[in-house]
Amino acid sequence: MRYPQGGGLTAERQAFRERVRMEAVGMFADGRGSTEIAKELRVSVRSVQRWRRAWQEAGQDGVRSRGPASRPKLSDPLFAVLEEELDKGPVAHGWPDQRWTLARIKTLIGRRFHKSMTLSGISQMLRRHGWSHQVPARRAIERDEEAVSGWVKDVWPHVEPLRRRSGPGSSSRTKPDSR
């Protein structure tokens, strides 16, 4: 994935990058070298060379951004429809509980819009639109605190594996415990 936080640049960051490219165009016109431009604009020499080539071929318009490389699978109006469907809840769409999972959202998108998306693509799309994974604000009503504390005291110690005691050893593979 190109941008690790889930997808694309903000509008401010896009505008900033556009300004940097246009500054470079002005420097090309002044006859400055690629290394000097790269150093001043704090970009790679390779990017400056690519921009210079585009500028020589198509002028200033050749350096301008053409927008994202691909259009999103769900346009803004379709995403608004998806949000409405998500607000109805999973039970309204036939699932037995009130948990939205990426797999369920994928199924909903397939049923509603006849489009196929990967789970990571859905996750990125949701984050781009301000959605995030949720943690319950309160505990379940059915939770029995006494049963939980009893389980932690009585059952968990038998389930948890014993920890190895640290002691003298050796890093040698051929003669263990030799010192």
Side-chain angles (χ1 to χ4, degrees), residues 148-163:
V148 170
S149 63
W151 186 90
V152 169
K153 287 179 189 171
D154 300 332
V155 179
W156 178 246
H158 301 294
V159 174
E160 184 179 30
L162 295 174
R163 293 190 178 141

Side-chain angles (χ1 to χ4, degrees), residues 2 9 33 58 64 80 89 91 113 115-117 119-120 137 148 151 154 158 160:
R2 190 166 183 179
L9 299 173
R64 290 196 191 282
V91 173
F113 306 110
K115 295 185 182 269
S116 177
M117 295 181 71
L119 296 181
S120 65
V148 170
W151 186 90
D154 300 332
H158 301 294
E160 184 179 30

Side-chain angles (χ1 to χ4, degrees), residues 138-144:
R138 52 187 162 68
R139 299 234 183 231
I141 296 171
E142 300 86 6
R143 182 179 169 104
D144 183 0

Side-chain angles (χ1 to χ4, degrees), residues 164-170 177 179:
R164 286 182 41 198
R165 296 196 180 267
S166 63
S170 171
D177 294 333
R179 292 239 167 197

Side-chain angles (χ1 to χ4, degrees), residues 169-179:
S170 171
S171 61
S172 171
R173 298 177 111 192
T174 56
K175 290 189 176 185
D177 294 333
S178 65
R179 292 239 167 197

Side-chain angles (χ1 to χ4, degrees), residues 61 82 161:
D61 289 337
L82 176 64

Side-chain angles (χ1 to χ4, degrees), residues 71-140:
R71 292 195 330 240
K73 290 260 187 168
L74 291 182
S75 63
D76 288 337
L78 288 181
F79 188 81
V81 172
L82 176 64
E83 282 183 314
E84 290 173 14
E85 297 296 325
L86 292 173
D87 286 339
K88 291 177 185 175
V91 173
H93 294 283
W95 285 286
D97 58 14
Q98 285 292 335
R99 289 181 306 126
W100 277 120
T101 62
L102 290 176
R104 289 179 178 183
I105 295 173
K106 178 180 179 171
T107 304
L108 176 64
I109 290 170
R111 286 179 187 165
R112 186 72 170 82
F113 306 110
H114 306 288
K115 295 185 182 269
S116 177
M117 295 181 71
T118 63
L119 296 181
S120 65
I122 293 168
S123 175
Q124 290 170 21
M125 176 187 66
L126 291 172
R127 279 193 308 244
R128 262 195 310 270
H129 286 86
W131 288 69
S132 64
H133 67 279
Q134 300 295 307
V135 177
R138 52 187 162 68
R139 299 234 183 231

